[in-house]
Each structure stands twice: as structure tokens, then as C-alpha cells.
Amino acid sequence: MPLSGVDMTQTYVNPINLPGMAVRHIVGTMPPTDANVANTSQIPASLNLPTWTAASGRTLSSRSSVGFTRISENSARTGADWSAVNVDGTIYLYASGAMQNAPNNNRTVWSTTDYLTWTPHEMNLGLVAPTVVQVGDTFYMAGNNTPVYRADSPTGPWTSMGSFLRPNGQVLSVGDVQFFLDTDGRLYLTYNIGSPIMGAELDPNNPRQLISEPVVLWTFDPRQEWQHIGDNKATYTHGYVEGSQLFKLGDTYYLQVASGGTEFTTYATGVMTSDRPLSGFTETQRNPIGAGNNHPSSVYPNAGHGSFVVDNAGNLVFFYTYVIAYEEFFERRLGMDVCTVIPNGPQKGAIDCELSNTPQLAPGRKISGRDDVGLYNVATNSQAYWSSSYAPGRNPYYGSDRSLSTWWEPADTDSAPTYIRGFGTVFHISAAQIQWKELGRTFTKDNAVQYTLEYKDIPTNTWRTLVDRSTNTTAYTADYVTFDRVLTNAVRLKILGTTENVKVGVHELNVFGENYHLVASKGMITP
């Protein structure tokens, strides 16, 4: 049942409407012949090992895929490995970008005070899988195999302090690092891309210096299916365990890790707990987090490499990697959901997260204890669509087929691309999300789509405006818009162009609405 009294301007939909996301330019083509495809010449040595470890599994995987490649038709927006910091009530969000030309791959950090409006800030460098911590008045940042950097502001400018050092002074080069500042002022580091996940204590006055030897916090367990790599979880040998984060709620320490491969939609996150920061972690909950929830949705990936943050209102917010990965491995987006700690019962202390793909009230805005607005994606009737044209193999069905691996694309000769989606019945609608597919390889992170969105007014049988973005200059990849509630059976999207004169299609046109109140008013059900 939909919530009453909702201000739709206070809602969001995953993936998050984040402006100015990085663009990754990768050209992928098939090998000219199959002469070296599925080359097994390197496999026997791996198979003949008497015992296997997770590292052996990863090696076997790479050798089993020798000669294969994947096609990349277009450049792609990307952002992943989200790391959040609460600075006096403002949330700063750092991320991997295109992962090219590091340390300049993504210099953007986004900030928000309401989770609805995100402000991009350009930094003087950008790292892969960055982490930031505030110690006193100083901020420290590190990334995959980078030095530690310091700054007087969460947006920089950043200056290098040098590499991490073991207690004996030996340089330590680490990936997927995360800082954690405990409530007693002690500082910790977790890291590793691949099992095991390691942890160590740092000198808070000099965070590049380890003051304890690294210890194993958690390791890959092939008996747990969520850790297996691949969309269907068929591979037992490894899980690419990565993206760890240590954090604390009350007196309990939580360690979250990602596994399953960042190129797969089943990339997922699990959580362990302990009463100590560097030992004793056990699973006390069902993993991966979010498993088993069934929101009405257009797409439904799991929650990959990300981070938890507690805001000033006490909300536990999880920012996570939302995988698309059609064009190539690293095509990813931002997901966000509010989590809670189970207060009692057999799973007391476990973290409960419901992954969402329909409108949710932003953190801190619950109504009657609910943040799910109760709307459905109503634009999923596979038979009700029309377009002014379509390119070969990109027909309008794909614009609302619940898949981000496909898209509707207008023909090259179409000077006024128009896309209509029918609902199959009538609904009250109040929000929409357009997940754009930018085509070609010339667009940048600043490319903005200009368009209008209309609805069919039933009494007059005419199209009326819902949203006018004809002069839009903000580069959104997943454009979430809200509007006054209307009763209709269809919407019409008119693509007017982009600021960089780039052809665009539509991954998904999601429209959110309900007809509960309509059928209740007609006596079909009891309200």
C-alpha cells in the first residue's frame, strides 16, 4: 500500500542521480580467429596442484580465459568502490572512476547534506578505491598501491606523505585500503584485493606508519555460495574477496567485505562481527546483506564494494557499487540504502539492509516507520510501446525490459527521437527515472541530455508536460524526476539533444506509480 502524505521531492531511486560521473574509454573487439581462444596450455600446472588456495583459484580463472575478450561498443559512465566520510554533518563520497591514468582517474568527490542534492568537487588527484579519514583537523587519503596523502580539507589539495610502512620500516604496498578511527582515538587499516583480508593498527599522528604487524581478519570460504565468482555462482575456487571496511556501532566491531567479482551483477557484500577490532570476526547474520528482499523493481543487482557511514541523525547509510558491466568490466553506478541493526532475537546485532529500486524516502525522512514509498515501476508492460524509429537490434522493447544490458536506440536519421511507454492499464504516477545510454566514444562526464517528458491526459486525449529539461546542462546518467501526481496510461519521452551533440538511447525508462487508491475509490477493494 502506498504511503500517504509523501513529498516526492524528498525521495530517491537507485542507481543514484549523481552528476558528472567519470567516463571510461575502452575499445574492445573480438580476436580475428578462434586460434588462441580457450587456450589450455597454461591450465594443467594449476590443475595438478595437490591442494588449492583462493590464490590458486584466481590463477586458474585467468588461465582458463586466455584468448577471450569482450566487445565494447561505446564508452561508458562509471563509478564504484564508494567510500563515505561524515564531516560535521556533511557526507563526502569518494570513488574509483575510469581507473585509467591513475592517480588522475577520477578527481571528483561528491558532498551532500540531505542525500538528495549532490555537489561535485574537483580535487587535485583521484585514486582507485580511495579511503579518507579525519584525525583531528587533518584528513588523510590513500588508494590502491598509493602513498598516503594529507590535506586540511576533505576536498584537498592533497600532498603525499609517502608509502605505508611496516613496523620495521619496510614499504607496504596494499590495495582496497580502508581507514577506521575508533572511538578511543586509535586508528586502523584494513586491506587486500583477494583473500585474505588483512588488518593492522596505524599511528594516528602518522597514518602511513603501521604500529602492529598485519594480521588475517577474514578469508575466502568456498562453502559460502555468495562468495563465489560469477553471475550464477558456479565457481568454487575463488571469490575475489575485496573492498573491506572496519567500522563500529555501539561496542560491536563490524567488518564488511565484497566478493563475487565487480563485473557481475551478483557482486555482493557480507558482514562479520567481533568485540575486538583486529580479531575474532564471525558471521552472526545471513549474508550477503540485502539477500531475500523483493522490492518491485526494474533491475536488481546486489550491493558490491562500498562503505557504511553513520550520519549526525544516527542513520546507518550504506553506499555500494551497483554493477551494469555491459560495455566492459568496470561499468558501474552508485547505490544507497538505509540499514538497521537488529535489536534482539537470534540475529541481535546483525545488520539488516533492504536493497531498493523503487522510490525511497531519503535517510531520516520515514513516515509511520517506513521509508519505502510503496510505488511500483509501472512501465514494464512488454507489449505497450512505440518509438519514432529504432536502430537495428535496438528496438523499443529494450527501453523497459528490466535489463541494463540492453537499450532502445533511435535510428541515425531520426532528427526528433520519441519514445512512448504504455502501462497496460491506468495508474496514478508521480516519479520517473530515465537511465540514459550515451552512444559512441566522444562524450565526456559533462555531457548533459536535454529532453521533455509528457503524459497522456485521459479526459482530453492530449499529451501534457510532466518535466521540461529542454535546457538541462547537468550531466546525469540516471535522471530521477518527480512531479505532481497524475492519472494516465502512458508517457512520452522526446529527446532534444545533448550539450556535446552525442546520440543517446534509453537503457530503462522507469515510471513509478500506483492504482491502489483508484481501485479502492471504485469499490473494487476495501481501503
Side-chain angles (χ1 to χ4, degrees):
M1 184 186 301
L3 278 174
S4 299
V6 173
D7 178 357
M8 290 299 295
T9 65
Q10 302 300 301
T11 63
Y12 72 92
V13 163
N14 286 319
I16 297 298
N17 210 5
L18 203 62
M21 194 175 291
V23 176
R24 183 171 167 91
H25 301 282
I26 297 292
V27 178
T29 58
M30 288 285 101
T33 72
D34 69 352
N36 193 44
V37 171
N39 188 332
T40 62
S41 62
Q42 300 180 46
I43 292 179
S46 296
L47 288 175
N48 292 332
L49 293 174
T51 60
W52 280 355
T53 66
S56 302
R58 292 193 300 276
T59 300
L60 180 60
S61 175
S62 64
R63 292 177 178 177
S64 296
S65 58
V66 171
F68 289 100
T69 187
R70 56 190 295 162
I71 297 173
S72 177
E73 297 183 69
N74 308 277
S75 293
R77 299 276 180 163
T78 185
D81 309 330
W82 308 94
S83 183
V85 178
N86 181 357
V87 182
D88 299 326
T90 298
I91 304 300
Y92 288 87
L93 195 60
Y94 304 82
S96 296
M99 300 178 73
Q100 295 168 291
N101 303 315
N104 300 312
N105 81 99
N106 169 51
R107 297 187 177 193
T108 302
V109 56
W110 293 267
S111 67
T112 187
T113 57
D114 60 8
Y115 302 100
L116 299 169
T117 303
W118 292 90
T119 302
H121 309 270
E122 195 78 3
M123 301 189 296
N124 65 313
L125 78 163
L127 309 181
V128 173
T131 179
V132 172
V133 67
Q134 181 180 8
V135 181
D137 294 327
T138 304
F139 296 86
Y140 300 96
M141 179 167 69
N144 282 359
N145 305 309
T146 72
V148 177
Y149 298 89
R150 59 166 292 161
D152 296 326
S153 160
T155 60
W158 301 94
T159 58
S160 175
M161 299 174 61
S163 299
F164 286 106
L165 299 174
R166 291 179 177 270
N168 64 4
Q170 180 185 9
V171 170
L172 179 67
S173 182
V174 292
D176 277 9
V177 293
Q178 279 284 342
F179 292 119
F180 164 61
L181 183 65
D182 204 344
T183 51
D184 60 5
R186 297 172 73 174
L187 184 64
Y188 298 92
L189 178 75
T190 61
Y191 65 90
N192 237 357
I193 303 176
S195 186
I197 298 298
M198 307 294 293
E201 186 172 356
L202 301 174
D203 181 351
N205 298 310
N206 179 21
R208 62 184 291 235
Q209 181 63 60
L210 277 67
I211 58 176
S212 72
E213 286 294 336
V215 295
V216 174
L217 301 183
W218 184 86
T219 191
F220 170 66
D221 184 353
R223 294 166 297 181
Q224 298 190 38
E225 188 175 85
W226 72 270
Q227 296 175 30
H228 297 177
I229 198 166
D231 275 325
N232 60 4
K233 298 299 183 185
T235 300
Y236 279 82
T237 51
H238 64 297
Y240 280 110
V241 178
E242 57 189 340
S244 62
Q245 181 200 14
L246 181 64
F247 60 102
K248 187 179 182 182
L249 301 172
D251 295 326
T252 302
Y253 293 91
Y254 293 81
L255 177 69
Q256 64 104 345
V257 300
S259 188
T262 193
E263 66 270 37
F264 301 108
T265 56
T266 53
Y267 192 38
T269 296
V271 179
M272 281 63 69
T273 59
S274 177
D275 59 359
R276 304 178 299 278
L278 292 180
S279 63
F281 284 97
T282 59
E283 290 192 70
T284 57
Q285 66 179 74
R286 180 183 179 185
N287 281 322
I289 59 174
N293 297 304
N294 187 28
H295 282 264
S297 62
S298 58
V299 285
Y300 195 73
N302 282 350
H305 186 164
S307 72
F308 291 86
V309 67
V310 178
D311 65 20
N312 283 17
N315 299 299
L316 178 62
V317 185
F318 182 36
F319 297 100
Y320 54 87
T321 299
Y322 187 111
V323 177
I324 297 174
Y326 171 79
E327 296 292 358
E328 45 87 30
F329 286 175
F330 298 121
E331 186 179 3
R332 301 168 292 179
R333 303 283 190 269
L334 168 64
M336 176 184 78
D337 281 299
V338 180
C339 303
T340 58
V341 177
I342 298 175
N344 46 52
Q347 288 194 312
K348 180 180 178 180
I351 291 178
D352 180 37
C353 297
E354 292 191 357
L355 307 184
S356 67
N357 282 294
T358 56
Q360 308 289 304
L361 287 162
R365 294 167 175 80
K366 287 186 177 182
I367 297 176
S368 301
R370 282 177 52 186
D371 47 21
D372 188 327
V373 176
L375 301 183
Y376 287 81
N377 179 13
V378 302
T380 57
N381 188 315
S382 62
Q383 306 304 316
Y385 55 80
W386 179 91
S387 67
S388 54
S389 68
Y390 58 93
R394 308 293 185 193
N395 79 60
Y397 166 81
Y398 296 124
S400 287
D401 65 346
R402 299 168 62 92
S403 171
L404 290 172
S405 296
T406 57
W407 64 88
W408 163 69
E409 178 182 332
D412 289 341
T413 56
D414 192 342
S415 60
T418 303
Y419 181 73
I420 298 176
R421 198 74 206 187
F423 308 150
T425 186
V426 291
F427 290 91
H428 285 105
I429 65 171
S430 52
Q433 182 195 56
I434 308 165
Q435 300 198 42
W436 298 110
K437 178 60 177 179
E438 295 158 294
L439 301 165
R441 302 190 183 276
T442 62
F443 61 93
T444 76
K445 68 175 184 176
D446 299 318
N447 181 53
V449 183
Q450 297 167 336
Y451 66 95
T452 59
L453 185 67
E454 304 166 315
Y455 74 99
K456 179 55 71 81
D457 181 60
I458 293 173
T460 64
N461 197 31
T462 59
W463 293 104
R464 296 184 181 272
T465 300
L466 283 173
V467 176
D468 185 346
R469 292 287 184 92
S470 58
T471 60
N472 176 46
T473 57
T474 303
Y476 288 119
T477 302
D479 202 348
Y480 178 59
V481 293
T482 62
F483 36 80
D484 292 338
R485 183 172 175 263
V486 297
L487 183 67
T488 187
N489 70 322
V491 296
R492 180 169 72 176
L493 174 67
K494 290 186 172 182
I495 301 174
L496 306 179
T498 76
T499 54
E500 297 183 355
N501 195 28
V502 172
K503 183 182 180 184
V504 295
V506 175
H507 270 301
E508 292 293 303
L509 172 57
N510 301 322
V511 182
F512 302 103
E514 54 88 13
N515 70 353
Y516 171 86
H517 289 97
L518 176 64
V519 299
S521 69
K522 300 297 183 183
M524 184 175 177
I525 59 174
T526 301

